[in-house]
């Protein structure tokens, strides 16, 4: 195929119009510039007929000459080229033609010691025409980039992870609007992280690398695209901050765009005001502009000729035919309020248009027709060319006989062209009605919000549930509370296992739009929408110390007509309250739309901003801007553009209108009927949090975890989680099992005090020198034969046997922590006179004093009664095991008075999360 001689990255101004929604083609002044532009560039085919469809469409020798700096190197590839581009307070290194020289475009982008390698390839054969550009993006982080291997059995990377899917979406969304309509060669972008230094994030580099690779390739992209991250530390905005700087940032903004417009933003913040967000966007846009200017210069030196002649657009005449047939009925159909009846009416009208055009001889089902019917002018030019035909009988036997094929009529359109044009005409009339009439399909004004209804406590056995309905969009949000084992494990390049104690999972079944489809693994769209809703709700969650549960939110879309991710935010917030999670406030989400070019439809040229858009307004509009937060600020945002980009004034107007919409939605959420329960469900697990000395954690775990398993089996609790800092969390379904396990752990981890008395302790074994008595589960002490009786005892087995229970008193702890017990100290001395008893008491006291060098004493351990916090916190504070220091013979304090101990308690504070509080 021949390329346009004037093709370059700067020469695609006309093609940029093609990437706009098709209504630009329907006004009379813009009907034939499309035809003129293509004819002016002399788009001609080297092959005709069916062979033409199967040929590789590449730029021919008539394309602009390759610059000297892009000479042919070894193997026929381009000469390696490198350039440093300033980004923020440092430079990134862009290299091309070093590796991947057989790809249509390939680059490596380096920031610090983080390297991202990206390639772009095109299919030689165009796919079937569609209204969706055939672009696929794969991003993968190689564990070898951080000097690690995969933790799986096969030790290699497999299916891409959720966070990699999110980065794939970040790459795809800004590139898609820059692709011209009519380009149907399947395009694939592959991106790998080859090196990661733990300091420079690869996601923003991957966006920039993909934009540069596409700009260098043959894909007829209209503008170079780049992406940056913007952080806010204090009052300073930082472009591409390091991971250390992001730990202190109030904002995480990823922005992508061209040298003069914003194409995509996505980010999360902690109730950031709109003005600060706009300032961050301005800083990011300046950085993107600087990168794009450098990329433009790089493309002039190293870029390949663009495949402009591969763009196949429907004939302009078809727009006139479709509009003439469907215009009157379209006006009526677009006034239908409900989604399903309107969709069926549009489908019926489309079939009517096809039928009429077929009956009039304008439509053919021949799949090869479209490649031959670009424009009338091109067809007429091809007819003037001579075609060599070999007639039968004039060739030798065995030669190929080529028979003439009758040519199709000039005005014969394919069925797929009719459908594409019908959709564009529908979009045109939708926009015209919106701008001229000021009313939307459901009768709302541009800033109107659909009716909102919410119902909490819908599912009796779930820990929390809410059915949130906004117009024809409905989400069922369910909250489940659990222990640490329910947390989601994240395996990242950093090599540090991260456990998420809160995660939101979004699902979009085909039934929510009244269709039949496949149910399987979550799609990329579901993963992206779930993460957006999750990050929207994170700032209002309590800390783990205040609420030690793992929280899972499931959002199932039961009806969908626009803004289902924002419905998940609203429903998820109400479900958290219904589950008794003490959140810090309420969050609402809203999706904003836009009609950019209003002057074309009778407006004053000011962009028309739409609040709470529906599905058709998303499909036919120019913007999808989702904003979540409260009255004070924004917690999450995501913007996608379907045109060449928007400016900061438009974004400011959309943000301010979104704030008003959020206030309205928050007010409606407060009127939920029934309202959220705001207390723990009786089916939610109980959690008891206690602190023990870190060096006694092993006593709870035991060898190979045997001890903790035996405690779980004996007490009947669900799980027991232990941490290195001495925190112990007990998860149970009922209070008796929780109390039993707590008592066992208290006994295991208690710190014995000299003078403590232990009642009814079992004799575990008997030796010639005494008996071993178990004062607590797993804790034994020696009661010497001299301490078993007030009189002389020749053999311990003469009086005691294994299994007997006796009362003992702790009288000594040696340096090894071994306990010396006395039974004689608790026996009444009936033989001694009062005077003798006094002497013996003094003697015992003297003996105790003389033994202080080998005895450790401690202060009394105090116990506190249970205290109940205010009910809104749903927390009961109890007393748990002590953090007293171990007693050794190095401490020389007086022993405390004797006291009976039923269950050992101490100064440490523990908490029981309970719905009864």
């Amino acid at each position: 195929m021949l390329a346009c001689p004037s093709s370059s990255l700067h020469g695609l101004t006309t093609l940029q119009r093609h990437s706009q929604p098709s209504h630009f083609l329907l006004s009379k002044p813009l009907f034939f510039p499309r035809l003129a532009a293509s004819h002016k560039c002399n788009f001609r085919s080297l092959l005709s007929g069916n062979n033409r469809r199967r040929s590789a469409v590449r730029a021919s020798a008539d394309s602009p000459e390759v610059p000297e700096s892009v000479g042919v190197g070894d193997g026929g590839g381009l000469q390696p080229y490198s350039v440093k581009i300033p980004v923020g307070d440092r430079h990134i290194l862009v290299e091309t033609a070093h590796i991947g020289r057989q790809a249509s475009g390939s680059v490596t982008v380096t920031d610090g010691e983080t390297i991202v390698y990206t390639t772009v390839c095109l299919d030689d054969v165009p796919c079937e025409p569609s209204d969706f550009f055939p672009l696929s993006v794969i991003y993968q982080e190689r564990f070898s980039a951080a000097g690690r291997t995969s933790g799986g059995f096969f030790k290699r990377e497999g299916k891409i992870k959720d966070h990699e899917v999110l980065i794939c979406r970040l790459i795809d969304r800004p590139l898609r609007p820059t692709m011209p309509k009519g380009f149907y060669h399947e395009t694939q972008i592959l991106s790998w992280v080859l090196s990661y230094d733990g300091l420079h994030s690869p996601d923003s580099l991957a966006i920039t690398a993909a934009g540069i690779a596409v700009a260098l390739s043959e894909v007829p992209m209209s503008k170079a695209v780049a992406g940056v991250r913007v952080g806010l530390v204090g009052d300073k905005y930082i472009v591409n901050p390091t991971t250390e700087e992001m730990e202190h940032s109030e904002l995480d903004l990823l922005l992508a765009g061209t040298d003069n417009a914003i194409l995509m933003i996505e980010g999360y913040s902690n109730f950031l005001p709109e003005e600060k967000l706009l300032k961050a966007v301005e800083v990011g846009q300046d950085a993107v502009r600087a990168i794009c200017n450098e990329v433009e210069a790089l493309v002039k030196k190293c870029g390949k000729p663009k495949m402009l002649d591969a763009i196949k657009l429907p004939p302009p005449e078809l727009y006139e035919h479709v509009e003439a047939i469907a215009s009157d009925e379209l006006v009526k159909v677009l006034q239908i309020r409900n989604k399903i009846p309107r969709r069926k009416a549009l489908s019926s009208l489309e079939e009517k248009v096809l039928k009429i055009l077929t009956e009039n001889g304008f439509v053919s089902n021949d799949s090869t027709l479209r490649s031959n019917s670009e424009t009338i002018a091109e067809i007429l030019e091809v007819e003037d060319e001579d075609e060599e035909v070999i007639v039968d009988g004039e060739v030798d036997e065995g030669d190929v006989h080529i028979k003439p094929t009758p040519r199709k009529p000039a005005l014969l359109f394919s069925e797929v062209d009719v459908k594409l044009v019908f959709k564009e005409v529908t979009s045109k009339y939708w926009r015209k009605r919106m701008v001229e009439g000021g009313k939307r399909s459901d009768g709302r004004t541009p800033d109107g919000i659909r009716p909102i209804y919410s119902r909490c406590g819908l599912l009796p056995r779930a820990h929390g549930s809410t059915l949130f309905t906004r117009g024809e969009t409905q989400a069922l949000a369910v909250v489940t509370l659990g222990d640490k084992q329910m947390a989601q494990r994240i395996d990242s390049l950093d090599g540090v296992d991260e456990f998420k104690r809160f995660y939101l999972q979004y699902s979009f079944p085909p039934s929510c739009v009244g269709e039949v489809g496949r149910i399987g693994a979550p799609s990329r769209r579901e993963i992206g929408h779930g993460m957006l809703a999750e990050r929207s709700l994170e700032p209002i969650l309590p800390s783990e110390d205040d609420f030690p549960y793992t929280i899972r939110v499931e959002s199932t879309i039961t009806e969908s007509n626009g803004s289902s991710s924002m419905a998940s935010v609203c429903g998820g917030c109400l479900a958290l309250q219904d589950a008794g999670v003490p959140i810090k406030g309420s969050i609402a989400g809203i999706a904003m739309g836009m009609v950019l070019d209003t002057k074309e439809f009778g407006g004053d040229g000011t962009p028309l901003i739409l609040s709470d858009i529906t599905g058709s307004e998303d499909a036919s509009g120019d913007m999808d801007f989702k904003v979540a937060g409260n009255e004070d600020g924004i917690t999450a945002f995501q913007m996608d553009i379907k045109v060449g980009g928007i400016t900061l004034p438009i974004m400011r107007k959309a943000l301010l209108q979104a704030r008003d919409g959020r206030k309205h939605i928050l007010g409606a959420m407060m009127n939920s009927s029934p309202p959220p329960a705001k207390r723990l469900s009786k089916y939610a697990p109980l959690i008891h949090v206690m602190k023990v000395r870190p060096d006694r954690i092993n006593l709870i775990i035991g060898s190979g975890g045997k001890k903790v398993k035996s405690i779980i089996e004996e007490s009947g609790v669900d799980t027991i989680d232990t941490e290195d800092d001495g925190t112990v969390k007990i998860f149970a379904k009922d209070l008796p099992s929780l109390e039993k396990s707590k008592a066992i752990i208290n006994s295991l981890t208690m710190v014995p005090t000299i003078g403590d008395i232990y009642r009814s302790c079992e004799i575990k074994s008997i030796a010639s020198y005494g008996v071993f008595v178990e004062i607590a589960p797993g804790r034994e002490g020696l009661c010497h034969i001299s301490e078993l009786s007030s009189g002389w005892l020749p053999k311990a087995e003469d009086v005691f046997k294994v299994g007997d229970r006796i009362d003992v008193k702790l009288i000594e702890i040696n340096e090894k922590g071994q306990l010396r017990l006395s039974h004689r100290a608790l026996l009444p001395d009936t033989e001694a006179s009062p005077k003798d008893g006094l002497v013996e008491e003094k003697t015992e006291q003297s003996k105790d004093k003389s033994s202080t060098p080998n005895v450790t004493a401690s202060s009394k351990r105090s116990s506190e009664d249970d205290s109940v916090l205010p009910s809104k916190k749903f927390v009961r504070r109890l007393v748990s095991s002590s953090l007293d220091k171990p007693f050794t013979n190095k401490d020389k304090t007086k022993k405390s008075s004797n006291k009976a101990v039923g269950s050992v308690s101490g100064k440490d504070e523990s908490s029981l999360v309970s719905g009864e509080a």
Side-chain angles (χ1 to χ4, degrees):
M1 306 290 286
L2 291 176
C4 175
S6 61
S7 63
S8 68
L9 196 63
H10 297 282
L12 295 181
T13 305
T14 305
L15 290 175
Q16 175 66 14
R17 304 286 297 180
H18 299 163
S19 66
Q20 313 292 328
S22 55
H23 62 272
F24 289 108
L25 307 176
L26 300 178
S27 59
K28 292 182 179 179
L30 295 177
F31 242 114
F32 293 97
R34 178 200 303 258
L35 175 61
S38 61
H39 184 61
K40 185 176 181 179
C41 289
N42 193 24
F43 294 164
R44 295 290 303 278
S45 172
L46 296 179
L47 300 174
S48 60
N50 295 340
N51 293 333
R52 187 174 140 191
R53 181 167 181 78
R54 293 183 173 85
S55 63
V57 185
R58 290 287 190 264
S60 70
D62 293 338
S63 301
E65 296 182 0
V66 180
E68 295 180 0
S69 60
V70 195
V72 178
D74 295 339
L78 300 176
Q79 291 289 353
Y81 190 86
S82 303
V83 61
K84 284 187 176 182
I85 300 177
V87 179
D89 58 355
R90 59 183 184 272
H91 290 75
I92 62 173
L93 176 64
V94 178
E95 299 174 284
T96 183
H98 287 254
I99 56 177
R101 293 177 297 175
Q102 295 188 33
S104 180
S106 67
V107 295
T108 57
V109 179
T110 304
D111 186 7
E113 293 182 344
T114 298
I115 302 176
V116 176
Y117 166 55
T118 302
T119 63
V120 176
C121 289
L122 292 81
D123 196 348
D124 290 337
V125 180
C127 60
E128 291 297 323
S130 172
D131 59 346
F132 193 74
F133 179 68
L135 173 66
S136 61
V137 179
I138 302 293
Y139 167 90
Q140 192 174 49
E141 297 174 350
R142 298 287 177 87
F143 283 97
S144 58
R148 300 176 55 223
T149 58
S150 173
F153 177 79
F154 295 102
K155 301 300 178 187
R156 68 176 296 170
E157 289 76 13
K159 177 186 175 183
I160 62 175
K161 305 174 184 64
D162 284 1
H163 76 277
E164 293 172 327
V165 169
L166 297 174
I167 298 176
C168 290
R169 286 170 52 83
L170 291 175
I171 297 172
D172 181 288
R173 284 159 43 202
L175 289 176
R176 193 172 293 276
T178 65
M179 303 298 177
K181 284 182 174 292
F183 186 74
Y184 299 114
H185 289 261
E186 184 175 356
T187 305
Q188 185 180 56
I189 299 175
L190 303 179
S191 187
W192 297 274
V193 179
L194 301 184
S195 177
Y196 179 60
D197 58 8
L199 199 61
H200 303 92
S201 299
D203 47 4
S204 58
L205 288 183
I207 300 173
T208 300
I212 297 174
V214 173
L216 292 173
S217 71
E218 298 161 287
V219 178
M221 184 178 67
S222 56
K223 285 282 188 177
V225 174
V228 296
R229 169 179 267 108
V230 180
L232 176 59
V233 179
D235 294 329
K236 182 181 179 182
Y237 294 92
I238 304 175
V239 177
N240 279 2
T242 63
T243 54
E244 294 177 352
E245 292 171 328
M246 283 302 299
E247 293 177 359
H248 308 286
S249 177
E250 302 177 32
L251 170 69
D252 183 7
L253 166 66
L254 273 167
L255 180 144
T258 63
D259 58 351
N260 59 0
I262 303 167
L263 294 172
M264 182 273 295
I265 63 170
E266 179 169 329
Y268 313 98
S269 59
N270 189 14
F271 299 103
L272 194 72
E274 282 79 3
E275 290 302 324
K276 285 190 175 182
L277 175 59
L278 289 168
K279 179 62 178 178
V281 171
E282 183 179 0
V283 171
Q285 187 181 16
D286 292 340
V288 166
R289 182 183 299 110
I291 298 174
C292 290
N293 290 336
E294 296 289 340
V295 173
E296 296 280 0
L298 176 64
V299 170
K300 290 181 179 179
K301 297 179 180 179
C302 307
K304 294 183 179 180
K306 300 299 180 180
M307 295 171 55
L308 301 178
D309 52 355
I311 299 174
K312 307 298 178 185
L313 297 166
E317 298 81 5
L318 184 55
Y319 290 88
E320 295 177 344
H321 288 292
V322 172
E323 191 171 352
I325 297 172
S327 58
D328 294 337
E329 291 191 45
L330 266 178
V331 174
K332 299 178 181 178
V333 169
L334 292 176
Q335 296 178 9
I336 300 176
R337 290 177 175 266
N338 295 329
K339 172 184 174 180
I340 299 298
R342 183 171 62 249
R343 186 179 69 185
K344 291 182 177 179
L346 286 173
S347 178
S348 176
L349 182 57
E350 181 185 70
E351 293 296 327
K352 178 181 177 180
V353 172
L354 269 171
K355 182 179 179 181
I356 293 176
L357 290 177
T358 303
E359 290 175 351
N360 294 335
F362 289 104
V363 174
S364 171
N365 292 326
D366 187 356
S367 60
T368 64
L369 173 63
R370 192 176 190 280
S371 61
N372 294 330
S373 59
E374 297 165 9
T375 61
I376 298 177
E378 288 188 31
I379 292 175
L380 293 177
E381 286 184 4
V382 173
E383 285 182 345
D384 293 337
E385 296 178 357
D386 294 332
E387 183 171 333
E388 181 180 358
V389 178
I390 302 178
V391 184
D392 291 343
E394 298 181 357
V395 295
D396 295 335
E397 187 176 355
D399 285 355
V400 178
H401 294 249
I402 302 177
K403 297 181 180 180
T405 302
R407 187 170 301 281
K408 301 291 182 181
L411 293 177
L412 194 59
F413 314 115
S414 66
E415 182 175 329
V416 67
D417 278 343
V418 176
K419 293 183 177 181
L420 290 173
V421 170
F422 179 81
K423 182 176 180 179
E424 295 183 359
V425 171
T426 302
S427 175
K428 170 192 173 181
Y429 276 83
W430 173 84
R431 290 164 170 268
K432 185 176 181 180
R433 182 177 185 272
M434 186 83 63
V435 174
E436 289 183 350
K439 293 289 184 180
R440 298 150 80 169
S441 296
D442 53 8
R444 286 183 293 152
T445 58
D447 59 350
I449 309 295
R450 291 173 290 178
I452 296 174
Y453 309 96
S454 54
R455 175 184 174 188
C456 298
L458 182 69
L459 308 177
R461 292 303 293 255
H463 299 162
S465 61
T466 296
L467 183 66
F468 179 83
T469 306
R470 179 164 57 197
E472 293 181 298
T473 298
Q474 189 179 74
L476 176 62
V478 180
V479 171
T480 305
L481 305 176
D483 55 13
K484 184 178 179 180
Q485 294 182 357
M486 202 181 84
Q488 187 178 33
R489 178 179 174 179
I490 305 298
D491 191 10
S492 63
L493 283 178
D494 295 330
V496 178
D497 290 340
E498 177 186 353
F499 290 88
K500 291 176 61 176
R501 59 178 291 263
F502 169 69
Y503 49 96
L504 188 148
Q505 296 171 336
Y506 166 102
S507 60
F508 191 89
S511 61
C512 69
V513 290
E515 296 178 353
V516 177
R518 185 183 67 87
I519 295 292
S523 65
R524 295 189 174 191
R525 178 181 179 275
E526 289 174 311
I527 294 173
H529 281 30
M531 179 56 67
L532 177 64
E534 176 184 311
R535 297 291 297 271
S536 300
L537 295 174
E538 268 186 342
I540 63 173
L541 294 178
S543 65
E544 189 173 2
D545 293 335
D546 295 334
F547 196 76
Y549 286 99
T550 295
I551 307 169
R552 179 196 183 199
V553 180
E554 299 170 82
S555 177
T556 303
I557 306 304
T558 52
E559 293 182 29
S560 178
N561 187 15
S563 190
S564 59
S565 61
M566 296 297 97
S568 299
V569 173
C570 301
C573 179
L574 291 172
L576 289 171
Q577 297 180 55
D578 190 57
V581 180
I583 60 176
K584 301 173 184 177
S586 295
I587 293 292
I590 188 172
M592 310 298 292
M594 179 183 66
V595 177
L596 183 61
D597 193 357
T598 58
K599 185 175 292 186
E600 181 182 354
F601 305 104
D604 59 359
T606 303
L608 181 63
I609 306 297
L610 308 176
S611 297
D612 185 23
I613 58 174
T614 62
S616 60
E617 292 167 346
D618 183 6
S620 300
D622 298 329
M623 179 181 73
D624 181 12
F625 192 4
K626 303 180 180 70
V627 187
N630 60 9
E631 304 94 331
D632 301 324
I634 298 170
T635 59
F637 49 90
Q638 183 184 95
M639 183 186 72
D640 295 321
I641 297 297
K642 301 173 185 178
V643 292
I646 65 171
T647 58
L648 279 173
I650 298 175
M651 188 178 295
R652 175 178 284 103
K653 182 179 179 181
L655 283 172
L656 295 178
Q657 190 167 321
R659 182 175 61 186
D660 296 336
R662 291 199 310 274
K663 291 179 180 179
H664 174 85
I665 297 169
L666 287 169
M669 289 168 59
M670 296 178 62
N671 299 324
S672 177
S673 179
K678 295 187 178 180
R679 61 179 175 83
L680 286 180
S681 167
K682 62 181 179 180
Y683 301 110
L686 299 175
I687 300 181
H688 180 69
V689 183
M690 55 194 301
K691 277 278 191 179
V692 301
R693 285 176 46 177
D695 60 347
R696 295 183 177 270
I697 286 292
N698 290 333
L699 297 176
I700 303 174
I701 300 174
S703 178
K706 292 181 180 179
K707 190 60 183 179
V708 70
K709 291 178 182 177
S710 66
I711 298 174
I712 293 174
E713 292 176 0
E714 182 180 350
S715 61
V717 298
D718 292 337
T719 57
I720 298 176
D721 291 337
T722 59
E723 298 178 9
D724 294 338
D725 63 351
T727 302
V728 179
K729 296 179 182 178
I730 308 172
F731 297 82
K733 294 180 180 178
D734 53 69
L735 193 59
S737 62
L738 189 147
E739 292 291 347
K740 187 175 182 179
S741 64
K742 186 182 71 171
I744 297 174
I745 293 175
N746 281 336
S747 299
L748 286 174
T749 60
M750 70 177 184
V751 179
T753 305
I754 293 177
D756 284 350
I757 297 174
Y758 304 93
R759 302 291 184 182
S760 187
C761 298
E762 183 181 357
I763 297 176
K764 288 295 186 180
S765 61
I766 300 178
S768 59
Y769 48 84
V771 298
F772 289 92
V773 182
E774 185 180 52
I775 63 173
R779 297 298 301 273
E780 296 182 6
L782 172 63
C783 186
H784 195 265
I785 193 171
S786 62
E787 297 291 341
L788 284 173
S789 175
S790 56
W792 181 79
L793 187 65
K795 292 182 180 180
E797 56 264 24
D798 293 343
V799 181
F800 302 100
K801 64 180 181 294
V802 175
D804 287 350
R805 292 186 175 273
I806 61 175
D807 298 336
V808 293
K809 176 182 178 181
L810 179 61
I811 60 174
E812 182 182 345
I813 304 175
N814 64 16
E815 292 182 353
K816 296 181 180 180
Q818 295 172 335
L819 309 179
R820 184 183 175 190
L821 307 172
S822 174
H823 178 60
R824 180 170 64 89
L826 302 178
L827 294 177
D829 193 350
T830 57
E831 299 177 357
S833 63
K835 183 178 180 180
D836 295 336
L838 180 61
V839 172
E840 185 174 346
E841 182 179 352
K842 291 181 179 179
T843 304
E844 182 179 347
Q845 292 176 359
S846 176
K847 181 180 178 181
D848 290 341
K849 291 180 180 179
S850 64
S851 63
T852 52
N854 297 324
V855 177
T856 304
S858 74
S859 60
K860 293 182 180 180
R861 292 171 295 144
S862 62
S863 61
E864 302 173 2
D865 295 334
D866 295 350
S867 61
V868 182
L869 293 178
S871 59
K872 65 180 181 179
K873 292 188 178 181
F874 306 100
V875 177
R876 187 178 4 170
R877 295 291 180 185
L878 299 180
V879 176
S880 179
S881 57
S882 176
L883 278 179
D884 296 337
K885 297 181 179 180
F887 294 92
T888 66
N889 60 356
K890 296 180 181 179
D891 297 325
K892 299 183 179 180
T893 56
K894 294 182 179 181
K895 70 176 183 179
S896 60
S897 61
N898 299 341
K899 60 181 179 179
V901 180
S903 63
V904 180
S905 61
K907 297 180 181 179
D908 292 328
E909 191 180 57
S910 60
S911 60
L912 173 68
V913 181
S914 172
E916 300 174 356

